[in-house]
C-alpha cells in the first residue's frame, strides 16, 4: 500500500524551575498526551472532531471534508487498531518548510487489523494558547 500522506504542516511548568532536560521531557510528555488524545479520536472514527482539535496549520492544509474522506478511506483499508507502540520522539524548534516554534515529531509502530506493521508520524506544535496540537499526520 502506498504511503497515505495526510495533512502536513502546510500545527507545565510545575511551580518549580526545571532543568533544560527536564523541561524537554515535560514538553515531550505533553506532546505525547496530545497525540494520544488526538489519535483516540481517529481510532474511534471521530474524524470531524479530530480535524477540529488539530492546529490551524493542519486545518489550513486540508479541509475538514477532505480530511474526513481521506482518513476514513485509509483507516477502512487498514482496519481497526490492534496495537500502537512509541518508536521515537524528537523535539525541535524548527522543521523544514515550517515557521520556527516548538515541535515534537513522534513516530509510532502500529498494527492494524489488515496491516500488520504500519508507521504513524504525528507532528505536534505548541499553539498560541500554550496547548500542543497536531499539525501533521502521516501513515504508511
Amino acid at each position: 500500500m502506498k504511503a497515505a500522506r495526510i495533512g502536513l504542516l502546510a500545527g507545565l511548568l510545575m511551580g518549580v524551575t526545571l532543568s533544560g532536560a527536564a523541561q524537554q521531557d515535560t514538553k515531550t510528555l505533553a506532546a505525547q498526551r496530545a497525540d494520544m488524545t488526538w489519535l483516540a479520536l481517529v481510532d474511534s472514527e471521530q474524524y470531524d472532531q479530530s480535524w477540529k482539535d488539530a492546529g490551524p496549520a493542519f486545518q489550513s492544509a486540508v479541509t475538514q471534508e477532505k480530511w474526513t474522506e481521506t482518513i476514513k478511506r485509509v483507516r477502512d483499508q487498514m482496519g481497526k487498531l490492534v496495537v500502537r507502540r512509541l518508536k521515537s520522539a524528537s523535539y525541535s524548534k524548527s522543521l523544514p518548510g515550517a515557521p520556527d516554534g516548538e515541535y515534537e515529531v513522534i513516530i509510532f509502530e502500529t498494527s492494524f487489523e489488515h496491516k500488520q506493521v504500519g508507521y504513524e508520524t504525528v507532528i505536534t506544535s505548541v499553539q498560541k494558547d500554550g496547548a500542543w496540537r497536531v499539525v501533521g499526520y502521516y501513515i504508511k
Side-chain angles (χ1 to χ4, degrees):
M1 173 185 297
K2 290 185 178 179
R5 294 188 48 168
I6 303 167
L8 174 61
L9 295 167
L12 301 165
L13 273 154
M14 299 173 65
V16 294
T17 302
L18 303 174
S19 71
Q23 285 178 359
Q24 186 169 333
D25 288 346
T26 299
K27 290 177 182 183
T28 295
L29 290 174
Q32 287 177 10
R33 274 194 304 274
D35 285 352
M36 296 308 292
T37 299
W38 187 84
L39 285 168
L41 292 172
V42 174
D43 294 338
S44 63
E45 299 178 9
Q46 296 180 54
Y47 305 130
D48 286 335
Q49 190 62 48
S50 69
W51 185 88
K52 290 175 186 175
D53 286 1
F58 184 99
Q59 294 170 344
S60 67
V62 63
T63 66
Q64 184 174 354
E65 182 179 292
K66 185 66 174 174
W67 163 251
T68 299
E69 172 190 314
T70 303
I71 192 63
K72 181 179 180 356
R73 185 179 77 256
V74 170
R75 290 300 296 266
D76 284 353
Q77 290 172 352
M78 292 187 169
K80 299 286 183 194
L81 171 72
V82 175
V83 66
R84 178 179 287 125
R85 292 182 191 90
L86 179 66
K87 183 171 173 60
S88 67
S90 60
Y91 174 85
S92 180
K93 292 204 176 223
S94 66
L95 291 177
D100 287 347
E102 293 187 75
Y103 298 95
E104 190 78 23
V105 179
I106 300 177
I107 300 172
F108 296 96
E109 185 175 311
T110 310
S111 294
F112 297 96
E113 184 178 28
H114 306 299
K115 180 155 180 74
Q116 206 168 65
V117 179
Y119 295 93
E120 294 174 292
T121 301
V122 185
I123 303 167
T124 52
S125 178
V126 174
Q127 304 302 298
K128 291 179 183 178
D129 64 0
W132 286 90
R133 297 206 197 297
V134 172
V135 295
Y137 177 73
Y138 308 92
I139 185 170
K140 61 179 178 176

